[in-house]
Structures are given as C-alpha cells and as structure tokens.
C-alpha cells in the first residue's frame, strides 16, 4: 500500500534507526535527463510523517549540488556525543570519482558549511558506497578500475585500501559490509566475480563466481543473521537471477531465485527479518522473497504494485521496517507499507501515466506502457518485528516464565523459569521462625525478638510471650506487671519489724508448735483402738506425759512473767463485753463491740464465735471502711474476682490483672483475663486496647489476641503480617505446651491470617513452608481450600500422587460425557425380590469417582465402558458397596447366565446380569444392583466328591454343583430346601463382607504407616522386633477400619495427621511428643486399640534409624 510519494527521479537514503523523526534523503540521480534536459542537481531531506493524511512528504531541508549522484547513504557518525552533527552524515557518490559528505543538521537548518568534506581520489563514477553497521565512521566506496577505499570520517582525507586491486581491472558495482563480523567486506563486479575482503589482513580471503551462467553482478548483500551467507543479483536479462552463496561451500550457489523476467537492478535484505528480501528488476516488478525457504526457484511471499518504468533502488526503513522506499525512472519516489496488502495503484497514478504531454516527445512512448498492477495477497507470515521479542508471565509460587527471541537462525530458543523474591527480609525472618519451631527454641526466639525490638510496647509483649513457656508463668507475669514478690518483701520488712509480737522472753513460735503437738497427741489417743498392744499404749502415754510436763514448765514461766489478770464486770462497754463472754454469748459481745466501733475486738470475737459471726463482722467492716485498700481487701476476702474484673477501674488494669494472676484459680483464670481484655478494648473509647493483648496472652486466647492486635496494628505490609504470625504461632505453641493439647487453627480469623501468610510465602517460593501452615487449618473456607490445593501441587509438582493430596476444590465436568450422544440401553431383566431388599453400604471418601464402569464376572463377557456423569458437587461422592450377604437358602441353583442375554444393538452398551460374587469384586459407586435369574434351569457341572455319609431318602435327585474357587476365595455353597426326592443339603458357608476402600484423604497416612513398617522389617535384627512389627500391623488394621467407617473424631484425626507428617519427615521425637499429647487429651476408649502400636513403631524407628 502506497503511503507517501514525491515526484522526483533520485537516489534515496533513509535516516539511521537511532534518528527520530524518520527522514528520507533524496539526491538527483546521475546519467538521467528529464524532458527539459536540465543538468541541475540538489539534495533534499523529506519528512515521512505517517500521522499526516495524504501522500505528500514535507521537505525539511534542501541544498543545491554541483553533482548528480550514483549512490546515496546516511551514516550515524556524529549522532552520538556531537552537537554539530547530531543528524548524522549524508555521503553521496558522483561522477569523476567525487565523494561528497554533507552535514544533515546544517542542511535542515540552512546554515553555511553544510558540505563536511569532498574528495575525488577515485577514478570514474562512484557507484558503490556502504556504511559499516558497527562503526558509523567507516565508509567503504567502490568505483572504476577495481578501486575500493575505506574512509574514516574522522580523517576523511586519507583513505585505506582493503588490498591489492583485483585483476582484470573492472568497475566495482556494489560493496557491502558483513552484518556479523565488522572487518569483513564484500564487493562485486559486472563480470560476475564477488570478492570477500578481510581488512585485518588487507587481502581478499575468497572469490566466488558462477562460471556456468551469464551472471553479471549488479548488487550484493550479506545475510543479516548468518555471517557466511550472502546474495548476488544479476542485471543480465539472459540470467535475471538471485544467487545465495554460503562461503563454507563456495563452489556453487546454494540457492537460485529465478522469478524475474529481466535483469535485477537493486536488492535489499531486511535487517529486522532475514526472511524478507526485496528485489527490483527491469520487468517493472518488485518481489519480496523468503531467502531461507527451500522451495525450488525461490518463494515469493509478497509483490509490491508494479510501475510503468524500471525501479532502480529499493530500501528498507531502518527504524520502521514496515516502510519501503522505491525509486523508479518514471520520476516518482514512493513509500510503501509492507503490511498494507497488495493494493493496486491509485487512479491518479493510472491517469497520470496514460496522459500524453504534447511538450514531451517521449510521453507517447511512456503512455504505451500502461500501469500494470496486480492484486497480490498479503504476507504469508507476520514479519519478525511484529513477533514478541520477549515475553514474561508470572506463575503461582513466585515463578517467572520468560523467553527472548534472539536473532540468529541457529540460536536456540530458551524458556527460562526463575524464582522472583520481592521480600528477602520476610524470608529471612520466616527462616528464623521455622528454625526455632523445629528445634523448639521458643524462649530463645522470644529473647531474640526482645533484643531486636525498638518499641517498648513490643518488648513488653514479647516478654509476656516468653514467660508463657516458663514453668511458673504466673510469678513471672507479676514481675512483668511491676509487682515482684521478692522486691516487695524487702520493702515490707521496714514496716513489719516494728510491729512484731513480743511476749516477754517466751518464744511464741515454739509455744505454738508444742500446743499443736499436744493437741495431735490427744486426738491420736482418743481415736486409738482398744486392741493396741500395751507397749504401744504405754509409749504414747509417756510421750503425752512428757508434753504435759513441758507445758506445765512453760506455763509456770509465763505466770511468773505476766501480770495478774483482772476481769471487769461493770456496766460500761468493757464490762458488758466481759459479761457476754462469761456466759458464752459471742454474738452479743460482737454486737457491743461493733456498736462501740471497736472493730478489731469484734473481729477477734467473731473468730471465736464461728463463721457466721465472721461473715457478719466482715460485712459491717467493709460497709464502714472507706480506705483506698478496702475494695481490694473486700474482693480478696470475699473471692469476688469476677466483680473486680467486671467493674474495676481500668486505670488500674495492671493491678486487676495482678490480682487475677495471684488469686484466681486455674479453672477461672482464662475467663477472667478475657473479660478484662474485652473491657479494655471497648470501654473508655479503647484507651487501653493496646494493652488488651497482654490479657489474652495470659489467658492463652489466640483468637482474641489476633483480633486485638489487628485493631491496634493492622498487618497491611508483608513484614507486619510476619510480625503478627510470629506472635500468633508462639502463643499457640505456649498454649499447647501448657495444656498438653494440640491447638488447631480452627477459628476463622486465625485461618484467614494463616491463609494470607501462606499465600505470601508461596508467592516468594516457600511453598513447603506454606504447605505446613495450611495443613494446620481445619476450616472449610473455599479460598483456603483452593490455596491448599494450589500450594500442594506446587510443592509436589514432580509427583502429584504423593500421600495426603487434597481433594480438588473445583467442580469437575466430564467434557466427553457431556458431549456424548444420548444412547438407549437394553432393558434390564426383572430383579428378584430378595435382591430388591439389598441395602447399600456407603463409606465417606474423598477420592475421585471413576469415569467408567467395567464389569467383570467369571464366565460372562465384559460389558462396554459406559461413561458416568460426574456429580455436581465439588467433592467426590463416597463409594457404595453393592454386595449384600444373603442366606444360602435364598440363592437359586447355579445356572448359566449367558443363555438368556438378549442381543445387543450395534453401538449401544449392553446390560449384563450379575451373579453372586465368587472372588474379589471391583464395585463402583453406581454399579447396577446384582440380579440373578431363576426361571430356567441351567446345565450343571460334575458333582463334588462326597466326603461324608449320606442317608438316602427315597429317590436321590441330581446333586447340587459347587462353584469353582476364584482367586483363592472360598465359593458360596448354594442349596435348596430339602425335598423327599433330594439328598440332604451340603454344609453351607457365608461369604465374608468385602471391606470398602479407605477414603483417599486418609491414604497418605496409611501409606506412611505401612511404609515405615516395611522399612523396619527390612532393618530388623531379631525375631522380637519382627513380632512387635506384626503386632503393630494388627493394631493398624483396627485403625484402618475406623478410618473406613469415619468413626474418628476431628481432634484424633488431626493428631494422627501430625504424627504422619513427622513420620514422613523422619522426625520421630516430634511424633512421640504429639503421641503424648494425644494420649493425655483424647478419649482413652477411642485410641487405646491402635495408638500403642504407633508408639511401638516410633520407638523401633528410632532404634533402627530407618
């Protein structure tokens, strides 16, 4: 498609690829005259602006020239690092050996000094010029008398020669630099000889010529990608061919293109796509070839619209290879778009060509050659510059897949798979966390976090997490709250020493101990049995007497020291109290003391009077007392911790938490801490919500801790999420360690955060670590299950059948079954009544449903495979066992089941009646029910030998045949009720019920246990070990039956999964720890039948090191 045009007969040169905007330079062609016989010449710089409508090209610069040009090239010399020649240099070859070098910028600006250099060292017209593609300052020129010069534009006055002149002397028609090796140059001459020069050696290295044809070379060009291949074009009308030469096999051309009818004037090989080669010939055709094709005679992939005159110059645009410039002798320079299709010439072109100009004597001749244009098909394949030079795509797990289409025919195409890590600090911290968890270095990890934390609140929180792993964590909580018992005891000593009780020189502690000893002896004596021996009685009595003696001596000593006791009985307060005490009325004494506001005496009297009086005096005391410590004292004495947690002033939350830590019992401590934490989050506008996390750490509530932390410090960054997960995981481990119970991530919030963290780890390539966190999730959230599925198969991409594979979270549709035509099946025979009552045993399973059903019954041909439509649910349906044991007397006599099968139409699945199973059966979940026909008698086989006496009763009928044994399974003996004419029935047996398969979701656990048993058997060194392993296998069979029947609780299953994972990792110590947790936390009746076998297997594994 023609996009631009200018009326001019001239040579052309495109601006270099690094130049923008795109310009086209034109110079008046030599050896050509127009109708006016003008001999003037000029250079023009035209702007090829495709954004402007119309075919005109704006002239941005023009200069008159004294010479006309045989060849014009545009070099990028000076465009890099030079302001004076930022537009490059324009080099033109003229008659009489003249070479003119122009400064493009000065031509465009119209300033003086645009002619950079002019030399005339050549002899004859300079028809060949080319710019080195690697160094724009190197120019090769060729002229008459076999002259070839190499010019350096930095020193343009002193050219170099590539070597001695070739003999015989002839014109140089074209020169071309190699596109891969910068010091290789090729030249060609009309005689057909093409010479390859090595400028490092300054000599020709090879000369190629086709002596078998009249090949007059006009043009030569190197392959853009292959350094050893080049083409030559012949202008001889007797041999208008293009020859492809490979210098490795230079005896003859490797390919010849011969679709032109007359000599070829110009060639151009696309630098961006080596599959595109343009040729313009005297037959007015411009063909685009695929030179890399092996089609005989050459493959033409495109043809430009033909013109009325010869096209003597075609060139690809270096910057936009979609554009092609065509210069023809009809006085037009056109720019075509390669991707515009084979459009015909415009009506304007046709009209202009056919008009006869009376002032032009040659116009009649031109008009006789009408514009012949043909509609050609577009390119057969897109050019390489439209293909993606590179592409990249992210895959799951932080994988980046990318490729690069490098140039070169023999360059291998490589697809690279790399791991992209955008959060290296996250991976480093995750690695530290995983290492601490694996080695159970919880306190060391917390200490590391305390040392590395810069925020005081964060240090305090990690300190609380650290002490949760201490044996006596409550005492450590008090220290962190600022109430260290040891420090407070030192503080109290200054107050308690002045008020210590003194009683003269009597040691009150010693006296109290002796009183207790005496009381204990008296009680022991009163409860002694009369049958005790006299010696024991005498010994005890002696001890009592000794105590009394000591007491008497102490009493006498005290009596000598204490003053005389006087009892007042007046009617004052002391007297009334004394009178009440004398008669034992403690209640009245207490009331009198209270009325007199003598609370200390009232409290002492209440202690002597009983618990009711104590309660009464305490109630009155706390009602009257208004000191700051009275409320705390009331809560402690009355044990009202919940009231303190519910209504205590949150400004004293540390003191309230210290009271709970000191006094609350284990059964209520967690609840009260949660209650205090809830108040701190919701009351007073959340003023203390930052500290609520400490309450949840004390209570071990992972869910509330996570919620509180999210409200205070949302994890909006990857490192923030890492910080949160570290705290959550450490708190979980502390709870598991303290309560000896596995803490699953069953809460939605914890599950959500673990899912986010797992997704983040997977995006950084840590799919195995992410899989470990996802296995802890017991929720059924769809997004978590989908992530689990993707992470699992990303971790085990080489072996998708590895144990523990999750079910597919997507809906599976059998496309073949859905697209299959509906077919009618043969009607099934009537079902016997006893088979209609058969029940279907279903077993939960997660393994996929088989897509086809293939029945296989001994003695009966197999049915065709019948497609089964998949169920609509995302999880697989449980398999159903179709076998139902039936009493032997209900079964009919054995008969041939093939005699009454109706014929099966062609292409229609056949129905096959079943017989009672005699061997292992493969039952699918939707097998048809077992049907047995009993209407006709069938042939029988020979009777089995009689192994016991038979008493005949009347006439004996034919014996009952016994079925053959299949696969080592005993057949079912089939008999009829005894008749008069029949022998006594043969002893019958019942076929055992076939066990259903273990659900697929548990198979990885089964394979892990059985695999470890086999490894231990191979490494066992004694018969006792093998006996233990056999016992383990028997216990595991009980476990497998429970798995089949789905009778294990979720907690037990989770514990078994943890043990199974440790077995796969050969972490037997960790598995034993989880075993101990299961034993202490699970129902004994649920695990006692098989769990001892697990322990034995783990111990043997550690012993044998398998």
């Amino acid at each position: 498609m023609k996009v631009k045009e200018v009326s001019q007969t001239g040579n052309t040169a495109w601006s270099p690829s690094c130049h923008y905007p795109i310009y086209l330079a034109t110079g008046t062609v030599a050896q050509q005259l127009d109708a006016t016989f003008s001999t003037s010449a000029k250079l023009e710089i035209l702007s090829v602006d495709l954004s402007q409508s119309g075919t005109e090209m704006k002239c941005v610069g023009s200069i008159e020239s004294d010479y006309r040009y045989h060849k014009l090239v545009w070099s990028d010399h000076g465009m890099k690092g030079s302001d004076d020649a930022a537009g490059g240099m324009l080099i033109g070859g003229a008659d009489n050996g003249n070479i003119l070098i122009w400064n493009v910028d000065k031509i465009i600006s119209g300033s003086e000094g645009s002619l950079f250099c002019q030399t005339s060292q050549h002899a004859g017209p300079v028809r060949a010029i080319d710019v080195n593609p690697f160094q724009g300052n190197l120019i090769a020129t060729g002229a008459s008398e076999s002259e070839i010069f190499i010019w350096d534009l930095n020193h343009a006055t002193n050219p170099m020669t590539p070597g001695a002149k070739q003999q015989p002397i002839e014109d140089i028609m074209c020169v071309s630099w190699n596109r891969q090796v910068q010091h290789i140059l090729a030249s060609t001459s009309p005689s057909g000889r093409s010479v390859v020069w090595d400028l490092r050696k300054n000599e020709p290295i090879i000369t190629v010529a086709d002596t078998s044809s009249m090949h007059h070379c006009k043009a030569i060009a190197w392959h853009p990608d292959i350094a050893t291949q080049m083409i030559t074009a012949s202008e001889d009308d007797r041999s208008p061919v293009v020859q492809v030469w490979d210098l490795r096999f230079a005896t003859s051309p490797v390919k010849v293109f011969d679709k032109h009818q007359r000599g070829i004037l110009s060639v151009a090989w696309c630098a961006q796509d080596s599959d595109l080669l343009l040729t313009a010939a005297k037959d007015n055709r411009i063909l685009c070839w695929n030179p890399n094709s092996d089609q005989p005679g050459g493959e033409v992939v495109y043809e430009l619209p033909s013109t009325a005159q010869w096209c003597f110059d075609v060139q690809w645009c270096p910057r936009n290879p979609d554009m092609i410039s065509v210069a023809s002798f009809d006085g037009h320079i056109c720019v075509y778009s390669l991707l515009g299709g084979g459009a015909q010439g415009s009506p304007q072109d046709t009209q202009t060509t056919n008009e006869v100009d009376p002032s032009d004597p040659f116009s009649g001749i031109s008009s006789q050659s009408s514009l012949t244009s043909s509609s050609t098909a577009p390119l057969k394949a897109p050019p390489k510059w439209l293909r993606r030079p590179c592409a990249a795509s992210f895959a799951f797990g932080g994988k980046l897949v990318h490729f690069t289409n490098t140039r070169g025919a023999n360059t291998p195409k490589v697809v690279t798979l790399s791991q992209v890590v955008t959060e290296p600090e996250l991976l480093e911290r995750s690695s530290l966390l995983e290492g601490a968890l694996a080695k159970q270095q919880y306190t060391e990890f917390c200490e590391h976090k305390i040392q590395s934390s810069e925020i005081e609140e964060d240090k305090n929180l990690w300190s609380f997490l650290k002490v949760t792993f201490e044996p006596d964590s409550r005492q450590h909580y008090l220290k962190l709250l600022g109430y260290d018992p040891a420090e407070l005891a030192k503080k109290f000593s200054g107050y308690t020493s002045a008020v210590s009780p003194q009683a003269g020189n009597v040691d009150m502690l010693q006296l109290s101990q002796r009183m207790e000893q005496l009381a204990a002896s008296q009680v022991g004596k009163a409860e002694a049995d009369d049958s005790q021996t006299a010696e024991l009685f005498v010994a005890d009595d002696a001890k009592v007497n000794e105590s009394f003696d000591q007491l008497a001596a102490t009493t006498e000593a005290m009596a000598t020291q204490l003053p005389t006791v006087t009892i007042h009985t007046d009617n004052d307060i002391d007297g009334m109290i004394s009178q009440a005490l004398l008669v034992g009325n403690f209640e009245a004494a207490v009331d009198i003391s209270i009325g007199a506001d003598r609370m200390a005496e009232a409290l002492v009297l209440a202690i002597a009077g009983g618990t009711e009086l104590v309660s009464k005096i305490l109630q009155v005391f706390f009602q009257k007392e208004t000191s700051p410590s009275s409320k705390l004292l009331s809560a402690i004495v009355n044990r009202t911790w919940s009231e303190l947690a519910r209504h205590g002033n949150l400004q004293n939350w540390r003191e309230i938490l210290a009271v709970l830590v000191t006094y609350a019992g284990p059964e209520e401590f967690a609840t009260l801490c949660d209650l205090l934490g809830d108040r701190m989050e919701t009351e007073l506008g959340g003023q203390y919500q930052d500290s609520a996390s400490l309450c949840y750490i004390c209570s071990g509530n992972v869910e509330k801790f996570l919620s509180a932390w999210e409200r205070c410090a949302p994890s909006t960054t990857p490192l923030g999420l890492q910080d949160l997960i570290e705290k959550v995981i450490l708190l979980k481990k502390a709870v598991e360690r303290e309560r000896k119970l596995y803490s699953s991530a069953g809460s939605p919030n914890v599950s959500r955060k673990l899912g986010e963290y797992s997704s983040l780890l997977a995006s950084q390539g840590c799919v195995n670590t992410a899989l470990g966190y996802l296995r802890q999730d017991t929720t059924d959230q769809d997004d978590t299950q989908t992530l689990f599925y993707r992470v699992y198969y990303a971790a085990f991409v080489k072996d998708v059948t590895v144990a523990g594979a999750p079910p597919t979270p997507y809906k599976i549709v059998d496309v073949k079954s859905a697209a299959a035509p509906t077919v009618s099946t043969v009607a099934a025979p009537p079902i016997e009544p006893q088979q209609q009552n058969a029940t279907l045993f279903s077993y939960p399973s997660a393994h996929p449903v088989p897509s086809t059903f293939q029945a296989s019954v001994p003695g009966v041909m197999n049915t065709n495979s019948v497609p089964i439509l998949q169920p609509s649910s995302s999880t697989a349906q449980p398999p159903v066992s179709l076998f139902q044991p039936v009493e032997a007397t209900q079964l009919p006599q054995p008969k041939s089941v093939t005699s009454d099968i109706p014929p099966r139409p062609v292409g229609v699945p056949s129905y096959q009646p079943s017989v009672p199973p005699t061997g292992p059966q493969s039952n699918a979940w939707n097998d048809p029910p077992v049907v047995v026909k009993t209407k006709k008698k069938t042939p029988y086989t020979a009777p089995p030998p009689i192994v016991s006496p038979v008493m005949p009763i009347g006439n004996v009928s034919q014996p009952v045949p016994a079925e053959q044994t299949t696969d080592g399974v005993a057949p079912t003996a089939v008999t009829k009720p005894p008749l008069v004419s029949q022998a006594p029935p043969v002893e019958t047996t019942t076929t055992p019920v076939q066990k259903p398969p273990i659900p697929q979701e548990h198979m990885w656990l089964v394979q892990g246990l059985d695999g470890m048993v086999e490894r231990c058997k191979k490494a066992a060194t004694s018969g006792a070990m093998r006996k233990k392993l056999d016992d383990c296998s028997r216990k595991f069979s009980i476990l497998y039956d429970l798995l089949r029947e789905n009778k294990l609780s979720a907690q037990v299953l989770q514990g078994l999964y943890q043990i199974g994972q440790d077995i796969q990792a050969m972490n037997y110590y960790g598995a034993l720890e989880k075993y101990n947790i299961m034993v202490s936390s699970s129902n004994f009746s649920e695990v006692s039948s098989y769990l001892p076998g697990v322990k034995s297997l783990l111990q043997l594994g550690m012993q044998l090191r398998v």
Side-chain angles (χ1 to χ4, degrees), residues 465-752:
L465 284 174
K466 176 184 176 182
V467 301
T468 53
F469 295 97
E470 301 293 341
D472 191 3
S473 58
R474 287 206 186 185
Q475 292 296 323
H476 294 283
Y477 288 150
L478 286 175
K479 293 181 182 179
L480 294 176
L481 291 171
Y483 298 98
D484 188 355
E487 295 295 331
L488 290 178
K490 295 179 182 179
K491 185 188 296 184
F492 299 154
S493 61
Y495 296 89
T496 57
S497 60
V499 296
S500 298
Q502 298 293 333
N505 295 325
V506 180
D507 190 347
M508 298 302 296
L509 180 60
Q510 183 179 3
L511 178 61
S512 175
Q513 293 176 352
R514 291 179 179 178
M515 290 295 294
E516 292 177 358
Q517 183 180 4
L518 176 61
S521 301
Q522 290 283 29
V523 173
K525 182 177 180 181
E527 294 179 353
D529 190 81
D530 295 339
S531 62
Q532 290 179 343
T533 60
E535 293 79 6
L536 183 59
F537 180 81
V538 173
D540 289 341
D541 195 28
K543 292 181 181 180
V544 174
N545 292 334
E546 182 181 355
S547 299
F548 271 109
D549 294 340
Q550 294 177 358
L551 179 60
T554 303
T555 304
E556 291 177 359
M558 293 178 60
T560 59
Q561 298 175 6
L562 295 177
T564 303
V565 178
T566 303
I567 300 175
H568 298 278
T569 58
D570 298 336
N571 290 330
D572 57 359
I573 298 300
D574 292 332
M576 297 300 294
I577 293 175
S578 299
Q579 295 178 32
L581 291 177
L582 292 176
V583 297
N585 193 346
F586 289 97
E587 184 175 1
V590 170
D591 292 339
I592 295 171
S593 300
I594 292 174
D597 198 17
R598 299 165 67 169
M599 298 303 298
E601 294 181 11
L603 181 59
V604 173
L605 293 172
I607 293 174
T611 57
E612 294 182 359
L613 287 178
V614 173
S615 300
K616 179 180 178 180
I617 189 59
L618 289 177
Q619 182 178 2
V620 174
F621 173 76
F622 289 126
Q623 289 176 354
K624 289 185 175 184
E625 187 65 31
T626 59
S627 63
S629 61
S630 61
K631 297 297 182 182
L632 175 61
L633 181 61
S634 174
I636 294 175
V637 172
N638 296 324
R639 306 183 65 82
T640 55
W641 323 123
S642 59
E643 294 299 323
L644 188 62
R646 285 190 179 93
H647 306 294
N649 191 343
L650 291 182
Q651 293 180 356
N652 304 115
W653 68 268
R654 289 181 177 274
E655 289 72 20
I656 296 174
L657 184 57
V659 170
L660 299 180
V661 169
T662 305
Y663 296 103
E667 67 282 352
E668 58 182 354
F669 176 68
T671 304
L672 295 178
C673 288
D674 289 344
L675 180 59
L676 178 60
D678 292 340
R679 289 188 59 210
M680 295 172 66
E681 286 191 87
T682 57
E683 295 182 11
L684 300 179
Q687 180 180 354
Y688 299 101
Q689 64 177 356
D690 295 346
S691 302
S693 301
L694 302 180
C695 297
Y696 299 136
I697 291 177
C698 295
S699 66
N701 196 325
V702 181
E703 172 73 12
K704 289 192 174 183
F705 172 80
L706 174 61
S707 301
W709 184 264
E710 283 238 281
R711 280 190 287 270
C712 299
S715 53
T716 57
T717 62
L719 293 181
L721 180 60
Q722 173 69 30
D723 192 37
L724 174 60
I725 293 299
E726 288 173 352
K727 296 178 175 64
V728 169
I729 294 300
L730 265 294
L731 183 56
K732 276 177 81 275
K733 293 298 181 182
V735 173
E736 294 173 4
R737 189 168 182 173
E738 179 183 0
R739 302 176 185 176
K740 305 297 184 182
L741 180 65
Y742 174 74
S743 176
S744 64
S747 62
N749 286 338
V750 177
S751 174
R752 176 176 54 84

Side-chain angles (χ1 to χ4, degrees), residues 21-241:
I22 299 175
Y23 288 158
L24 181 66
T26 63
T28 306
V29 67
Q31 302 295 326
Q32 295 293 324
L33 294 175
D34 58 9
T36 63
F37 291 92
S38 173
T39 59
S40 63
K42 63 179 179 179
L43 285 173
E44 290 185 339
I45 308 297
L46 306 176
S47 175
V48 185
D49 189 359
L50 299 181
S51 63
Q52 299 293 329
S53 60
T55 60
E56 297 81 7
M57 288 186 287
K58 179 181 177 181
C59 179
V60 297
S62 177
I63 189 171
E64 296 292 333
S65 175
D66 297 334
Y67 300 93
R68 294 193 173 195
Y69 300 97
H70 292 275
K71 183 69 176 177
L72 199 64
V73 296
W74 196 329
S75 170
D76 61 355
H77 174 67
M79 295 181 65
K80 301 177 182 178
S82 175
D83 297 333
D84 295 336
M89 296 292 180
L90 197 60
I91 302 99
D95 290 330
N96 302 323
N98 287 290
I99 299 176
L100 293 89
I101 304 173
W102 301 86
N103 189 318
V104 176
D105 275 354
K106 292 184 178 181
I107 294 177
I108 296 175
S109 63
S111 59
E112 297 181 357
S114 58
L115 182 61
F116 176 76
C117 178
Q118 180 178 353
T119 179
S120 58
Q121 298 190 27
H122 271 297
V126 180
R127 297 186 178 92
I129 305 178
D130 194 23
V131 180
N132 190 296
F134 300 96
Q135 300 183 54
N137 61 305
L138 296 181
I139 308 297
T141 59
S144 302
E145 298 181 2
S146 300
E147 284 184 346
I148 300 176
F149 288 157
I150 309 299
W151 305 82
D152 185 352
L153 296 184
N154 296 319
H155 309 281
T157 57
N158 297 317
M160 301 173 289
T161 60
K165 292 183 179 181
Q166 291 290 301
Q167 301 295 330
I169 301 298
E170 55 186 341
D171 294 340
I172 301 298
M173 303 303 297
C174 184
V175 292
S176 178
W177 291 97
N178 192 287
R179 303 302 168 181
Q180 299 294 322
V181 184
Q182 62 179 354
H183 59 271
I184 299 298
L185 177 71
S187 63
T188 189
S189 304
S191 63
R193 289 187 306 162
S194 297
V195 182
V196 178
W197 305 83
D198 188 344
L199 300 188
R200 293 184 306 179
K201 300 179 180 179
N202 285 336
E203 64 181 12
I205 56 176
I206 192 172
T207 300
V208 296
D210 186 8
T211 58
S212 63
S213 64
M214 299 297 295
H215 192 76
H216 293 181
C217 291
K218 172 66 175 177
I220 190 170
W222 286 97
H223 195 292
D225 300 329
I226 303 176
T228 59
Q229 288 188 8
M230 65 180 184
I231 61 167
T232 58
S234 172
E235 66 173 344
D236 195 327
D237 292 343
R238 294 169 295 178
S239 177
V241 297

Side-chain angles (χ1 to χ4, degrees), residues 96 322 439 571 586 588 620 760-761 889 936-937 998 1047:
N96 302 323
D322 177 36
K439 299 178 182 178
N571 290 330
F586 289 97
V620 174
L760 180 60
L761 288 178
T889 56
K936 295 183 179 181
K937 294 184 178 180
I998 297 176
K1047 289 186 177 181

